[in-house]
Amino acid sequence: MKGRKIAIVGGVAGGASAAARLRRLDENAHIIIFERGGYISYANCGLPYYVGGVIKDRRDLLVQTPERMSKRFNIDIRLNSEVEDIDLDKKELIVLNTVTGERYRESFDKLILAPGAEPARPPIPGIDKANVFTVRDIPRIYALKDYIDQAKPESAVVIGGGFIGLEMVENLRLNGIKVSLVEMLNQVMPPLDYEMAAYLHKHLKEHSVELYLGDGVVSFDRDEKRTIVNLKSGKQLKADMVILAVGVRPETTLAKKAGLEIGETGGIKVNQHLQTSHPDVYAIGDAIEVVDFVNRRPALIPLAGPANKQGRIAANHICGIEDTYKATQGTAIIKVFDMVAAYTGNNEKVLKKYRIPYLKSYTHSGSHASYYPGATSMAIKLLFSPEDGKILGAQIVGYEGVDKRIDVLATAIRAGMTVYDLQELELAYAPPFSSAKDPVNMAGYVASNILQGLHPVIYWDELDSLDPHDTVLLDVRTEAECKKRGCIPGSINIPLDSLRERINELPTDKTIVIYCEVGLRGYIAARILMQRGFSRVFNLSGGYSTYSIAKYGLE
């Protein structure tokens, strides 16, 4: 029995996912995938690790071959086939075979656009003569790896401190290449707030990466052997190669030519069923504008997980299943050498932009029980509503166990949970894996104490604005800790265990800002003082650990 014809433009994450789901739901449909490149369903996120030799065989990057997918799912897969235009009136595609040069028309009943996003390539003077590489698809990554293997470059400049930039920094260093990283913002990983990104800054420098933050490229030059990268600051960096990783932009050329509506963020506008402004045309993946789950505003959030889900949802709707894509909350994780950073929901920058009220807390917890060997520390930043404690965002930087904690917090945000709910979560515990009070529980306890007024806090970036004549900075760590770790300028030291007997040394008519290493002893000290008649008491959230890393590189 002849079925309807469904065309899919783009065959990587979203497109391949949609095709497989369509076939599982409709055995009679004629499904065609048009892919302008020579590969489908490859591990886009794994490309940098092939450069570093972590993934050794390039064939391992191919999640599915055209032959296997075609045979298993009975799909008409057309590689090297670029869809140049869409005739919506006739419901036909104009397709160019990039190998033979042939152009032809192909009809469709339903169309799914999954063109992805393209690496941004700003018109920087001299860029065409520079030895510049981008990381986006199989051919480009093969060319980059071949260059490294054959030319044996000694130095590289990576431009852009986002996901691809940081992953390339790590994998270039694995090749023994000296790396400089240039980022226009004052931090790497923009989805993190500055003080959380500062952990990565320190870690990168510890791995011999030269950081040029708050600086940008104005032009490229070239001498006899190397590319010269000229920065806004006037500095010049010479390198054998340049990796351009300044972000991606949605590939909307085809949609615009067809007259489909483009959203305010520049992505293809879709409804909750992922239909475009034409009901028979769907769009998915990095090319579309989504709704931010937390702030409910339009956003561009190019991630593989949402793209795969969207492919399935579009296929469901085409086949009569009333499925909807609700929103994207932007959960993501990255490994930078042996450090891990992850986030979900909104950061402070976004909450401030949309004037969404929030409170925040910092906690530092062990990845598992401290008495079991190998525990490492993780820093957790929690953002929550001052009205009801609803979780708005979370960021974690650490080593072991970051992934499972961010997933718990991502699930909590999706479920509309509050910081009070985090206290009650019953999470798996055994000494090799966690503590009886999991780091997620601890984040909930601290945040709820703040909401209940049991734990008035102050933050690292507020200390400089305090009146030194009306403020006492009280360090309640041990004297040995102060000498080893340093202290906040102008503070006095009274160890927590001596506080009750030395309490008369503190003035009751001044603001007392307490800090310890991570905040726990500061909280205990605050409770002591608050119950002894001190009315202006604040604990430094995250303690000296958060303060010192946030100030790293600023002083």
Side-chain angles (χ1 to χ4, degrees), residues 412-424:
I413 291 174
R414 181 64 61 159
M417 295 170 69
T418 70
V419 297
Y420 301 112
D421 295 318
L422 296 185
Q423 300 176 103
E424 300 177 13

Side-chain angles (χ1 to χ4, degrees), residues 161-198:
F163 275 99
I164 295 298
L166 290 179
E167 288 170 350
M168 285 308 304
V169 164
E170 175 183 347
N171 284 281
L172 290 170
R173 290 292 298 129
L174 290 176
N175 280 280
I177 298 172
K178 180 182 177 182
V179 180
S180 298
L181 175 62
V182 178
E183 168 57 57
M184 284 189 66
L185 300 176
N186 68 341
Q187 65 168 89
V188 300
M189 283 301 289
L192 296 177
D193 287 316
Y194 176 84
E195 70 279 12
M196 300 300 283

Side-chain angles (χ1 to χ4, degrees), residues 145-390:
K145 183 68 163 71
D146 290 343
Y147 172 79
I148 291 173
D149 290 343
Q150 294 164 17
K152 309 292 184 186
E154 296 180 357
S155 58
V157 173
V158 175
I159 303 171
F163 275 99
I164 295 298
L166 290 179
E167 288 170 350
M168 285 308 304
V169 164
E170 175 183 347
N171 284 281
L172 290 170
R173 290 292 298 129
L174 290 176
N175 280 280
I177 298 172
K178 180 182 177 182
V179 180
S180 298
L181 175 62
V182 178
E183 168 57 57
M184 284 189 66
L185 300 176
N186 68 341
Q187 65 168 89
V188 300
M189 283 301 289
L192 296 177
D193 287 316
Y194 176 84
E195 70 279 12
M196 300 300 283
Y199 289 97
L200 297 178
H201 299 165
K202 187 171 186 289
H203 196 62
L204 287 162
K205 290 183 179 180
E206 289 170 348
H207 283 78
S208 301
V209 177
E210 294 291 332
L211 289 183
Y212 296 88
L213 302 176
D215 212 343
V217 179
V218 292
S219 66
F220 294 103
D221 288 313
R222 189 161 182 85
D223 60 20
E224 294 179 359
K225 294 183 178 180
R226 294 185 294 177
T227 295
I228 302 169
V229 183
N230 299 304
L231 304 183
K232 288 182 180 178
S233 62
K235 295 174 183 174
Q236 284 191 332
L237 308 178
K238 292 187 177 183
D240 297 316
M241 61 186 298
V242 174
I243 305 291
L244 196 60
V246 293
V248 296
R249 53 180 172 230
E251 179 52 81
T252 57
T253 304
L254 190 58
K256 288 177 179 177
K257 286 178 69 176
L260 298 174
E261 187 177 352
I262 302 300
E264 62 184 75
T265 63
I268 302 171
K269 191 173 181 63
V270 295
N271 65 14
Q272 61 181 350
H273 302 300
L274 300 168
Q275 291 167 296
T276 66
S277 52
H278 190 292
D280 290 325
V281 181
Y282 295 71
I284 59 177
D286 294 356
I288 71 170
E289 177 180 88
V290 296
V291 173
D292 184 292
F293 183 81
V294 174
N295 62 56
R296 313 310 299 179
R297 269 76 165 190
L300 295 174
I301 307 177
L303 293 169
N308 277 279
K309 294 178 183 70
Q310 291 157 11
R312 179 185 176 92
I313 290 167
N316 284 349
H317 194 257
I318 287 172
C319 293
I321 299 173
E322 281 296 304
D323 204 353
T324 60
Y325 187 75
K326 298 174 179 62
T328 303
Q329 69 191 72
T331 305
I333 191 167
I334 186 171
K335 183 180 85 71
V336 182
F337 298 104
D338 51 351
M339 182 170 273
V340 180
Y343 59 87
T344 185
N346 285 181
N347 59 27
E348 278 198 74
K349 295 183 283 279
V350 172
L351 294 173
K352 287 177 180 176
K353 176 181 177 181
Y354 294 118
R355 299 181 180 178
I356 298 173
Y358 68 92
L359 291 172
K360 59 185 175 181
S361 67
Y362 300 95
T363 52
H364 299 265
S365 300
S367 56
H368 58 250
S370 59
Y371 57 82
Y372 188 89
T376 56
S377 179
M378 67 178 73
I380 300 179
K381 180 177 184 177
L382 205 59
L383 297 156
F384 51 96
S385 167
E387 181 180 348
D388 57 8
K390 187 175 181 180

